[in-house]
Amino acid sequence: MEGKAGRNAFLLFFSFTIFFSHSTSLNYQTLVANPLRSQPTLSWTDSESPTDTAESSATFSVQLHHVDALSFNSTPETLFTTRLQRDAARVEAISYLAETAGAGKRVGTGFSSSVISGLAQGSGEYFTRIGVGTPPRYVYMVLDTGSDIVWIQCAPCKRCYAQSDPVFDPRKSRSFASIACRSPLCHRLDSPGCNTQKQTCMYQVSYGDGSFTFGDFSTETLTFRRTRVARVALGCGHDNEGLFVGAAGLLGLGRGRLSFPSQTGRRFNHKFSYCLVDRSASSKPSSMVFGDSAVSRTARFTPLVSNPKLDTFYYVELLGISVGGTRVPGITASLFKLDQTGNGGVIIDSGTSVTRLTRPAYIAFRDAFRAGASNLKRAPQFSLFDTCFDLSGKTEVKVPTVVLHFRGADVSLPASNYLIPVDTSGNFCLAFAGTMGGLSIIGNIQQQGFRVVYDLAGSRVGFAPRGCA
């Protein structure tokens, strides 16, 4: 065994030696070295107002904004540090959920127990403005592909955290309706509860950091611009703690049976997409589209993979990574394989910022990138980033190209999607990190500028470059 291990180590070393020695022939692209900028401004165009003309009932679109826009009087460095802290908590919670599901453990055995069916504090990075009830009361809601349950803070509050808009009062809505304890909708919850006095369904979602939302499981009308979607099952939370700052609730976009896409699939043909703009380079908002028009003609698709133990996340097959036009030795599909017990795999997640790769893959990728970027001045590591460069005084630099090879789709990343500013002084870091667990996560920094298409009818995810136009 020792001899075999030694031969494998030698072959890997030999492969990297060849890769490094040919680094001068690698493919490069230009990175415009813009440092961290101030927080994005929060403004909604007239098209978001309830006076819009109605869109087709089979499709609608909304603006998305980053949660940083709800944080006021913060420096760029503070916002970035807070974002990384949110990211670490989210990744830890996602990994815990995936590992416990893969191990066959029930994460909630009763209504009063902790149900890890959501994610960590700050779950989701983007939000939009949605009308709730009849007449519609417009509030900010986080959109999250890593969560299923739709919920909103409701009056009367036992405990409610601070939000930007008045708390929704279901007593003032003509379309609000409770769900009976015996209803099939109630039994779709991971761990349903029952108000025995009223015989109405109760929900509870607990999060990895101890945050939670608790209240009545009900149906309500949601309005997106002037497109109304009736009888959406959602949690009306009267007891909510430690969740979001500013936003009133969450629109779950996961694959689970209670997510918004699952509930409304027939109406919008089981299709939605989003395009996230680079907040440091664009003042235009990101966008999300539901319906047939969500599918871009230029998208390259990769099949969705099912995890029999966990239906919330969007799993895909990552086969390898190229740096500078050359496949990185040692990064193979086996490192990202989702096994029969539900462990491992790769998910696409809108609420994780920094892509996490299982550690052997990350080390190989990082070393290949360092070799290709040997002409750049190195800088000390920053937070979770161990590969950083001092680009102060430079307006643009050449960096090795990076391509993610999914089954059926090669996604070539713009330079700003993997080398990002971490301060206002000109330091940039490789926006990937390693993880000790088996699950890898493709984050939203790497998704910027692509229209990411979720064609659930075709069980596939697509990537269309320059999709935010």
Side-chain angles (χ1 to χ4, degrees):
M1 291 295 292
E2 290 182 1
K4 184 177 180 180
R7 287 194 300 274
N8 289 340
F10 174 77
L11 289 173
L12 186 61
F13 173 78
F14 182 70
S15 298
F16 272 114
T17 300
I18 294 176
F19 187 91
F20 295 167
S21 66
H22 286 78
S23 62
T24 55
S25 63
L26 296 180
N27 296 330
Y28 289 82
Q29 62 179 329
T30 300
L31 170 73
V32 178
N34 292 320
L36 272 183
R37 296 183 178 180
S38 59
Q39 69 189 72
T41 56
L42 183 59
S43 62
W44 298 90
T45 65
D46 291 338
S47 63
E48 287 296 309
S49 71
T51 58
D52 276 347
T53 56
E55 294 185 58
S56 164
S57 61
T59 183
F60 72 86
S61 62
V62 294
Q63 289 184 9
L64 304 181
H65 286 267
H66 195 270
V67 293
D68 284 355
L70 293 178
S71 297
F72 303 104
N73 301 319
S74 296
T75 66
E77 289 88 348
T78 299
L79 286 174
F80 187 70
T81 299
T82 303
R83 186 182 188 187
L84 294 182
Q85 291 170 347
R86 272 197 319 265
D87 215 42
R90 181 179 177 91
V91 169
E92 183 177 356
I94 288 178
S95 299
Y96 173 79
L97 180 57
E99 289 169 7
T100 52
K105 300 175 183 176
R106 286 187 61 83
V107 292
T109 57
F111 186 68
S112 62
S113 64
S114 178
V115 184
I116 312 296
S117 56
L119 298 176
Q121 181 177 356
S123 177
E125 287 275 289
Y126 290 85
F127 65 91
T128 191
R129 198 140 176 89
I130 297 175
V132 182
T134 306
R137 309 281 179 173
Y138 281 81
V139 295
Y140 296 125
M141 289 186 72
V142 169
L143 291 90
D144 185 12
T145 55
S147 297
D148 291 325
I149 303 295
V150 181
W151 61 265
I152 184 173
Q153 293 200 116
C154 283
C157 285
K158 180 179 179 182
R159 269 181 302 195
C160 283
Y161 60 86
Q163 63 178 59
S164 298
D165 299 287
V167 174
F168 176 71
D169 189 343
R171 296 167 295 190
K172 297 180 180 179
S173 170
R174 298 192 302 270
S175 50
F176 181 86
S178 299
I179 294 174
C181 296
R182 296 183 178 181
S183 167
L185 269 178
C186 189
H187 290 289
R188 288 185 190 179
L189 291 166
D190 287 342
S191 190
C194 183
N195 182 325
T196 54
Q197 184 178 2
K198 298 180 180 179
Q199 285 299 304
T200 54
C201 188
M202 308 290 288
Y203 84 101
Q204 173 179 290
V205 179
S206 298
Y207 292 78
D209 66 340
S211 303
F212 61 85
T213 174
F214 167 84
D216 300 308
F217 200 49
S218 52
T219 61
E220 184 57 286
T221 294
L222 300 183
T223 302
F224 301 80
R225 303 175 74 170
R226 289 290 298 274
T227 299
R228 290 179 172 83
V229 184
R231 295 182 296 279
V232 176
L234 54 77
C236 187
H238 301 289
D239 191 352
N240 319 285
E241 185 170 334
L243 294 164
F244 307 100
V245 175
L250 181 143
L251 191 77
L253 299 172
R255 289 182 83 181
R257 54 188 178 175
L258 283 174
S259 73
F260 183 76
S262 295
Q263 290 192 54
T264 61
R266 289 185 179 179
R267 179 169 181 179
F268 302 114
N269 292 330
H270 302 275
K271 299 178 179 72
F272 72 94
S273 66
Y274 55 72
C275 194
L276 310 176
V277 301
D278 181 351
R279 297 175 301 116
S280 66
S282 175
S283 59
K284 64 187 289 189
S286 302
S287 65
M288 173 169 281
V289 180
F290 285 84
D292 288 335
S293 58
V295 180
S296 171
R297 294 180 180 178
T298 61
R300 296 291 302 274
F301 286 92
T302 184
L304 281 169
V305 178
S306 294
N307 183 345
K309 303 291 184 179
L310 186 63
D311 60 4
T312 296
F313 302 134
Y314 294 96
Y315 283 87
V316 292
E317 284 187 85
L318 182 60
L319 306 180
I321 301 175
S322 290
V323 173
T326 301
R327 284 284 189 116
V328 178
I331 299 184
T332 61
S334 61
L335 292 177
F336 307 111
K337 186 175 179 58
L338 177 66
D339 65 27
Q340 294 181 343
T341 65
N343 290 312
V346 179
I347 66 171
I348 304 288
D349 183 41
S350 64
T352 299
S353 291
V354 177
T355 288
R356 269 41 174 216
L357 300 175
T358 187
R359 190 149 186 80
Y362 171 70
I363 292 174
F365 167 65
R366 175 201 67 188
D367 290 348
F369 189 85
R370 286 177 177 177
S374 58
N375 59 311
L376 300 180
K377 181 182 178 182
R378 290 288 297 275
Q381 69 178 53
F382 181 93
S383 184
L384 78 166
F385 302 123
D386 64 4
T387 301
C388 300
F389 303 91
D390 180 359
L391 305 185
S392 57
K394 299 182 182 296
T395 55
E396 58 181 45
V397 294
K398 295 293 185 181
V399 297
T401 57
V402 173
V403 179
L404 304 179
H405 300 288
F406 298 99
R407 182 171 297 281
D410 294 336
V411 178
S412 180
L413 300 180
S416 59
N417 284 33
Y418 55 89
L419 206 58
I420 63 169
V422 296
D423 57 28
T424 56
S425 303
N427 289 314
F428 285 67
C429 296
L430 183 64
F432 286 75
T435 175
M436 298 305 294
L439 181 69
S440 296
I441 305 171
I442 306 300
N444 60 49
I445 291 174
Q446 282 63 44
Q447 297 174 48
Q448 286 177 170
F450 290 92
R451 180 150 296 279
V452 184
V453 180
Y454 294 79
D455 178 6
L456 307 183
S459 190
R460 58 182 188 164
V461 173
F463 302 88
R466 296 175 295 280
C468 295

